[in-house]
Amino acid sequence: MLAGEAVVAIWNGVVEEGWPFNYLWHLTEHMPERVGIPGFNRGRRFRAMDSATHPALFTLYECDTLGVVQGGDYTNRLNQPTPWTREAGKLARDTSRGLARVVASHGPGVGGVMMTLRFDAPAAVQAAVAELVRLAATGPRLTGAHLCIADTAASGVVTEEKRGRADIGAPPSWFILAEATDAEALAGVLPDAALTAAGAMGPYQRGTYRLEYLRTKTAWAP
């Protein structure tokens, strides 16, 4: 299960020459800073496993509540980006970021591989999609399956960290995260036809990512 009732989910690419700096910044400054915010419980960084997965990075922060990701502690960090964070923003591409409620979360723990599935759906089908997610979590070698619905207004707030960045696109609407011990376990999980039958709407954006780094609660000072 996810570690909280809300998440910050970020998909983004990096220009080829920016990868060394991205790793240095993300692992030694940015993720420790974010997980140091009160109410942020865990951060995970994933990298694409295949050429069909785009963009190349997926980052997930698991938080106590949606109020935490809309609150002053997080907003203050977004409005006071470090010099490294400003530089990392210049090197990012194809960024999509959502502040989302965790509607359903099932499974015994963290997996080494994550499938992300972005789509849209009307509110009326939430229960039907949530049931598909519950069933997905029971699959062999699946360690978790989670349904999240983004808060569009909160996701779209322009902070100092975002200002002037041309790489930032529309936030996700609905997304499912399915995690497992290996990529093969995710093959065939939550097919498009089943989602459509439940009332979801494509296009369905899928990606398969491997876990690179996990950060739990951090004491952080700028």
Side-chain angles (χ1 to χ4, degrees), residues 1-3 42 44 46 60 62 104-115 133-147 176-187 189-190 209-211 214:
M1 296 180 69
L2 294 177
R42 185 164 64 194
R44 289 190 268 171
F46 298 82
L60 181 70
E62 299 160 64
S105 183
H106 306 279
V110 170
V113 178
M114 178 82 81
M115 179 186 75
V133 170
R134 185 191 70 80
L135 292 173
T138 66
R141 307 193 305 283
L142 267 287
T143 63
H146 325 287
L147 173 61
I176 293 170
L177 309 174
E179 45 191 316
T181 59
D182 55 275
E184 289 74 17
L186 293 169
V189 170
L190 294 161
Y209 297 85
R210 60 178 175 83
L211 180 64
L214 183 149

Coordinates of all heavy atoms in Angstrom, one line a residue, residues 1-3 42 44 46 60 62 104-115 133-147 176-187 189-190 209-211 214:
M1 N 0.8 -1.2 0.0 CA 0.0 0.0 0.0 C 0.9 1.2 0.0 O 2.0 1.2 0.5 CB -0.9 0.0 1.2 CG -1.9 -1.1 1.2 SD -3.0 -1.1 2.7 CE -4.0 0.3 2.3
L2 N 0.3 2.3 -0.6 CA 1.1 3.6 -0.6 C 1.1 4.2 0.9 O 0.2 3.9 1.7 CB 0.4 4.6 -1.5 CG 0.5 4.2 -3.0 CD1 -0.3 5.2 -3.8 CD2 1.9 4.1 -3.5
A3 N 2.1 5.0 1.1 CA 2.4 5.5 2.5 C 1.7 6.8 2.6 O 2.4 7.9 2.8 CB 3.9 5.6 2.7
R42 N 7.7 9.2 1.9 CA 8.6 8.4 1.1 C 8.7 9.0 -0.3 O 7.7 9.5 -0.9 CB 8.0 7.0 1.0 CG 8.9 6.0 0.3 CD 8.5 4.5 0.7 NE 7.1 4.2 0.1 CZ 6.4 3.1 0.5 NH1 6.9 2.3 1.5 NH2 5.2 2.9 0.0
R44 N 10.3 8.0 -4.2 CA 10.8 6.9 -5.1 C 11.1 7.4 -6.5 O 10.3 8.2 -7.0 CB 9.9 5.7 -5.2 CG 9.7 4.9 -3.9 CD 8.9 3.6 -4.1 NE 7.5 3.8 -3.9 CZ 6.6 2.9 -4.1 NH1 7.0 1.7 -4.7 NH2 5.3 3.1 -3.9
F46 N 12.2 6.3 -10.4 CA 12.2 5.2 -11.4 C 12.7 5.7 -12.7 O 12.5 6.8 -13.1 CB 10.7 4.7 -11.6 CG 10.0 4.2 -10.4 CD1 9.4 5.0 -9.5 CD2 10.0 2.8 -10.1 CE1 8.8 4.5 -8.3 CE2 9.3 2.3 -9.0 CZ 8.7 3.1 -8.1
L60 N 7.8 9.5 -7.5 CA 6.6 9.4 -6.7 C 6.9 9.8 -5.3 O 7.8 9.2 -4.7 CB 6.1 8.0 -6.8 CG 4.8 7.8 -6.0 CD1 3.6 8.5 -6.7 CD2 4.5 6.3 -5.9
E62 N 5.0 10.0 -1.6 CA 3.8 9.6 -0.9 C 3.7 10.4 0.4 O 4.6 10.5 1.2 CB 4.0 8.1 -0.6 CG 4.1 7.3 -1.9 CD 4.7 5.9 -1.6 OE1 4.1 5.1 -0.9 OE2 5.8 5.6 -2.1
A104 N -7.6 4.4 -4.1 CA -7.6 3.0 -3.7 C -6.1 2.6 -3.7 O -5.3 3.0 -4.6 CB -8.3 2.1 -4.7
S105 N -5.7 1.8 -2.8 CA -4.4 1.3 -2.7 C -4.4 -0.1 -2.0 O -4.9 -0.3 -0.9 CB -3.5 2.2 -1.8 OG -2.2 1.8 -1.8
H106 N -3.8 -1.1 -2.8 CA -3.8 -2.5 -2.3 C -2.4 -3.1 -2.5 O -1.7 -2.7 -3.5 CB -4.9 -3.3 -3.1 CG -6.2 -2.7 -3.1 ND1 -7.1 -2.9 -2.1 CD2 -6.9 -1.9 -4.0 CE1 -8.2 -2.2 -2.3 NE2 -8.1 -1.6 -3.5
G107 N -2.1 -4.1 -1.7 CA -0.9 -4.8 -1.9 C 0.0 -4.8 -0.7 O -0.1 -3.9 0.1
P108 N 0.9 -5.8 -0.7 CA 1.8 -5.9 0.6 C 3.0 -5.0 0.6 O 3.6 -4.9 1.7 CB 2.2 -7.4 0.5 CG 2.2 -7.7 -1.0 CD 1.1 -6.9 -1.6
G109 N 3.4 -4.4 -0.4 CA 4.6 -3.6 -0.3 C 5.1 -3.0 -1.6 O 4.5 -3.0 -2.6
V110 N 6.4 -2.6 -1.5 CA 7.1 -1.9 -2.7 C 7.6 -3.0 -3.6 O 8.2 -4.0 -3.2 CB 8.2 -1.1 -2.1 CG1 9.1 -0.6 -3.3 CG2 7.7 0.1 -1.3
G111 N 7.4 -2.7 -4.9 CA 8.0 -3.6 -6.0 C 9.2 -3.0 -6.6 O 9.4 -1.8 -6.6
G112 N 10.0 -3.8 -7.3 CA 11.1 -3.3 -8.0 C 10.8 -2.7 -9.4 O 11.7 -2.0 -10.0
V113 N 9.6 -2.9 -9.9 CA 9.2 -2.4 -11.2 C 7.8 -1.8 -11.1 O 6.9 -2.3 -10.3 CB 9.1 -3.6 -12.2 CG1 8.6 -3.1 -13.6 CG2 10.5 -4.2 -12.4
M114 N 7.6 -0.7 -11.7 CA 6.3 0.1 -11.7 C 5.8 0.3 -13.1 O 6.5 0.7 -14.0 CB 6.5 1.4 -11.0 CG 5.3 2.3 -10.9 SD 4.2 1.9 -9.5 CE 5.1 2.8 -8.2
M115 N 4.5 0.0 -13.2 CA 3.8 0.4 -14.5 C 3.0 1.6 -14.1 O 2.2 1.6 -13.1 CB 2.8 -0.7 -14.9 CG 2.1 -0.3 -16.2 SD 0.8 -1.5 -16.7 CE -0.5 -1.2 -15.5
V133 N -8.6 -2.2 -10.1 CA -7.3 -2.0 -9.4 C -7.1 -3.0 -8.3 O -6.1 -3.6 -8.1 CB -7.2 -0.5 -8.9 CG1 -6.0 -0.4 -8.0 CG2 -7.1 0.4 -10.1
R134 N -8.2 -3.2 -7.5 CA -8.2 -4.2 -6.5 C -7.8 -5.6 -7.0 O -7.0 -6.3 -6.4 CB -9.5 -4.2 -5.7 CG -9.5 -5.1 -4.5 CD -10.9 -5.3 -3.9 NE -11.7 -6.1 -4.8 CZ -11.7 -7.4 -4.9 NH1 -10.8 -8.1 -4.2 NH2 -12.5 -8.1 -5.7
L135 N -8.5 -5.9 -8.1 CA -8.2 -7.3 -8.7 C -6.8 -7.4 -9.2 O -6.2 -8.4 -9.1 CB -9.3 -7.5 -9.8 CG -10.7 -7.7 -9.3 CD1 -11.7 -7.8 -10.5 CD2 -10.9 -9.0 -8.4
A136 N -6.3 -6.3 -9.8 CA -5.0 -6.3 -10.4 C -3.9 -6.6 -9.3 O -3.0 -7.3 -9.5 CB -4.7 -5.0 -11.0
A137 N -4.2 -6.1 -8.1 CA -3.2 -6.3 -7.0 C -3.1 -7.7 -6.5 O -2.1 -8.1 -5.8 CB -3.6 -5.4 -5.8
T138 N -4.1 -8.6 -6.9 CA -4.0 -10.0 -6.5 C -3.2 -10.8 -7.5 O -3.1 -12.0 -7.3 CB -5.5 -10.5 -6.4 OG1 -6.1 -10.6 -7.7 CG2 -6.3 -9.7 -5.5
G139 N -2.7 -10.3 -8.6 CA -2.0 -11.0 -9.6 C -0.7 -11.6 -9.0 O -0.1 -11.1 -8.1
P140 N -0.2 -12.6 -9.7 CA 1.1 -13.2 -9.3 C 2.2 -12.2 -9.3 O 2.4 -11.5 -10.3 CB 1.3 -14.4 -10.3 CG 0.0 -14.6 -10.9 CD -0.8 -13.4 -10.8
R141 N 3.0 -12.1 -8.3 CA 4.2 -11.3 -8.1 C 3.8 -9.8 -8.2 O 4.7 -9.0 -8.2 CB 5.2 -11.6 -9.2 CG 5.6 -13.1 -9.2 CD 6.9 -13.4 -10.0 NE 6.9 -12.9 -11.3 CZ 6.2 -13.5 -12.4 NH1 5.5 -14.6 -12.2 NH2 6.4 -13.0 -13.6
L142 N 2.5 -9.4 -8.2 CA 2.2 -8.0 -8.0 C 2.3 -7.7 -6.5 O 1.8 -8.4 -5.6 CB 0.7 -7.8 -8.4 CG 0.4 -7.4 -9.9 CD1 0.8 -5.9 -10.1 CD2 1.1 -8.3 -10.9
T143 N 3.0 -6.6 -6.2 CA 3.1 -6.1 -4.9 C 2.2 -5.0 -4.5 O 2.2 -4.6 -3.3 CB 4.6 -5.7 -4.6 OG1 4.9 -4.6 -5.4 CG2 5.6 -6.9 -4.9
G144 N 1.6 -4.4 -5.5 CA 0.7 -3.3 -5.2 C 0.0 -2.8 -6.5 O 0.5 -2.9 -7.6
A145 N -1.2 -2.2 -6.3 CA -1.9 -1.5 -7.3 C -2.7 -0.4 -6.7 O -3.3 -0.6 -5.7 CB -2.8 -2.5 -8.1
H146 N -2.6 0.8 -7.3 CA -3.1 2.0 -6.7 C -3.8 2.9 -7.7 O -3.3 3.1 -8.8 CB -2.0 2.8 -6.0 CG -0.9 1.9 -5.5 ND1 -1.1 1.2 -4.3 CD2 0.3 1.6 -5.9 CE1 0.0 0.5 -4.0 NE2 0.9 0.7 -5.0
L147 N -4.9 3.5 -7.4 CA -5.7 4.4 -8.2 C -5.6 5.8 -7.6 O -5.9 6.0 -6.4 CB -7.1 4.0 -8.3 CG -8.1 5.0 -9.0 CD1 -7.6 5.2 -10.5 CD2 -9.5 4.5 -9.0
I176 N -3.1 5.1 -12.7 CA -3.0 3.8 -11.9 C -1.5 3.5 -11.9 O -0.8 3.6 -12.9 CB -3.8 2.7 -12.6 CG1 -5.3 2.9 -12.5 CG2 -3.4 1.3 -11.9 CD1 -6.1 1.9 -13.3
L177 N -1.1 3.1 -10.7 CA 0.3 2.6 -10.5 C 0.2 1.1 -10.1 O -0.4 0.8 -9.1 CB 1.0 3.4 -9.4 CG 0.9 4.9 -9.5 CD1 1.5 5.6 -8.3 CD2 1.6 5.4 -10.8
A178 N 0.9 0.3 -10.9 CA 0.9 -1.1 -10.5 C 2.4 -1.5 -10.4 O 3.2 -1.3 -11.3 CB 0.2 -2.0 -11.6
E179 N 2.7 -2.1 -9.2 CA 4.1 -2.5 -9.0 C 4.2 -4.0 -8.7 O 3.3 -4.7 -8.3 CB 4.7 -1.7 -7.8 CG 3.8 -1.5 -6.6 CD 4.4 -0.5 -5.7 OE1 5.7 -0.5 -5.4 OE2 3.6 0.3 -5.1
A180 N 5.4 -4.5 -9.1 CA 5.6 -5.9 -9.1 C 7.1 -6.3 -8.9 O 8.0 -5.4 -8.9 CB 5.1 -6.5 -10.4
T181 N 7.4 -7.5 -8.8 CA 8.8 -8.0 -8.6 C 9.6 -7.9 -9.9 O 10.8 -7.7 -9.9 CB 8.8 -9.4 -8.1 OG1 8.1 -10.3 -9.1 CG2 8.2 -9.6 -6.8
D182 N 8.9 -8.0 -11.1 CA 9.5 -8.0 -12.4 C 8.6 -7.5 -13.5 O 7.3 -7.5 -13.3 CB 10.0 -9.4 -12.7 CG 8.9 -10.4 -12.6 OD1 8.6 -10.9 -11.5 OD2 8.3 -10.7 -13.7
A183 N 9.1 -7.1 -14.6 CA 8.3 -6.5 -15.7 C 7.3 -7.6 -16.2 O 6.2 -7.2 -16.6 CB 9.2 -6.0 -16.8
E184 N 7.7 -8.8 -16.3 CA 6.9 -9.9 -16.9 C 5.6 -10.0 -16.1 O 4.5 -10.3 -16.6 CB 7.6 -11.2 -16.9 CG 8.7 -11.3 -18.0 CD 10.0 -10.5 -17.6 OE1 10.1 -10.1 -16.3 OE2 10.8 -10.2 -18.4
A185 N 5.7 -9.8 -14.8 CA 4.5 -9.9 -14.0 C 3.4 -8.8 -14.3 O 2.2 -9.0 -14.0 CB 4.8 -9.8 -12.5
L186 N 3.9 -7.7 -14.9 CA 2.9 -6.7 -15.3 C 2.3 -6.8 -16.7 O 1.4 -6.1 -17.0 CB 3.7 -5.3 -15.2 CG 4.1 -4.9 -13.8 CD1 5.0 -3.7 -13.8 CD2 2.9 -4.6 -12.9
A187 N 2.8 -7.8 -17.4 CA 2.3 -8.0 -18.8 C 0.9 -8.3 -18.8 O 0.5 -9.3 -18.1 CB 3.2 -9.0 -19.5
V189 N -1.6 -6.7 -17.4 CA -2.3 -6.2 -16.3 C -3.1 -4.9 -16.7 O -2.6 -4.1 -17.4 CB -1.3 -5.8 -15.1 CG1 -2.0 -5.0 -14.0 CG2 -0.7 -7.1 -14.6
L190 N -4.4 -4.9 -16.3 CA -5.2 -3.8 -16.6 C -5.3 -3.4 -18.1 O -4.9 -2.3 -18.5 CB -4.8 -2.5 -15.8 CG -5.0 -2.7 -14.3 CD1 -4.2 -1.7 -13.5 CD2 -6.5 -2.5 -13.9
Y209 N 8.7 1.1 -15.6 CA 9.9 1.7 -15.0 C 10.5 0.8 -13.9 O 9.7 0.1 -13.2 CB 9.5 3.1 -14.3 CG 8.9 4.1 -15.2 CD1 7.6 4.2 -15.6 CD2 9.8 5.1 -15.7 CE1 7.1 5.2 -16.4 CE2 9.3 6.1 -16.5 CZ 8.0 6.1 -16.9 OH 7.5 7.1 -17.7
R210 N 11.8 0.9 -13.8 CA 12.5 0.1 -12.7 C 12.8 1.1 -11.6 O 13.2 2.2 -11.8 CB 13.7 -0.6 -13.2 CG 14.8 0.3 -13.8 CD 16.0 -0.4 -14.3 NE 17.0 0.4 -14.9 CZ 17.9 1.2 -14.3 NH1 17.9 1.2 -13.0 NH2 18.7 1.9 -15.0
L211 N 12.8 0.6 -10.4 CA 13.1 1.4 -9.2 C 14.6 1.6 -9.2 O 15.4 0.7 -9.2 CB 12.6 0.7 -7.9 CG 12.9 1.4 -6.6 CD1 12.2 2.8 -6.5 CD2 12.6 0.5 -5.4
L214 N 15.0 4.7 -3.4 CA 13.9 4.9 -2.4 C 14.5 5.7 -1.3 O 15.5 5.4 -0.7 CB 13.4 3.6 -2.0 CG 12.2 3.6 -1.1 CD1 11.3 2.4 -1.3 CD2 12.6 3.7 0.4

